[in-house]
Amino acid sequence: MKKPTLAEKDFLNPEEAIELFNLSRRKFYRLIKEEKQLGFIALYGSRRLIIRGEFEKYLEANSEIKEELKNASRKNKDTP
């Protein structure tokens, strides 16, 4: 059985979401820790999983948060 790619997965752990969406690790963990009523978080025991489709909708509806969560080091690499 072939392992699905990140883009094919419906549920992501926080590290996978950070990698897939190229987010700042520190800012993303702060968001999911401080905000209690996020519709894209599913609890599985003590683990937090990110519902990819809901997270994409959240980012579309909150473009300012999307910009804040972007990985700053990526921006610096693109700048000459």
Side-chain angles (χ1 to χ4, degrees), residues 11 26 38 74 76:
F11 294 92
R26 178 180 50 87
L38 295 171
R74 174 101 168 126
N76 293 338

Side-chain angles (χ1 to χ4, degrees), residues 10-75:
D10 292 329
F11 294 92
L12 306 165
N13 67 40
E15 290 298 320
E16 291 171 332
I18 289 166
E19 182 180 337
L20 181 63
F21 294 100
N22 191 35
L23 305 173
S24 164
R25 178 174 280 108
R26 178 180 50 87
K27 292 176 184 177
F28 183 71
Y29 275 107
R30 186 182 315 145
L31 172 71
I32 64 175
K33 183 178 180 181
E34 291 176 356
E35 298 292 328
K36 301 295 181 194
Q37 299 297 324
L38 295 171
F40 59 84
I41 302 252
L43 295 176
Y44 182 71
S46 62
R47 295 178 59 199
R48 291 181 182 202
L49 298 176
I50 310 304
I51 305 168
R52 186 175 54 89
E54 293 299 316
F55 185 56
E56 289 171 343
K57 289 178 190 175
Y58 177 81
L59 291 177
E60 286 177 23
N62 299 287
S63 59
E64 69 283 351
I65 291 176
K66 182 178 181 179
E67 290 300 316
E68 288 177 23
L69 290 175
K70 282 189 178 178
N71 192 349
S73 63
R74 174 101 168 126
K75 289 180 194 174

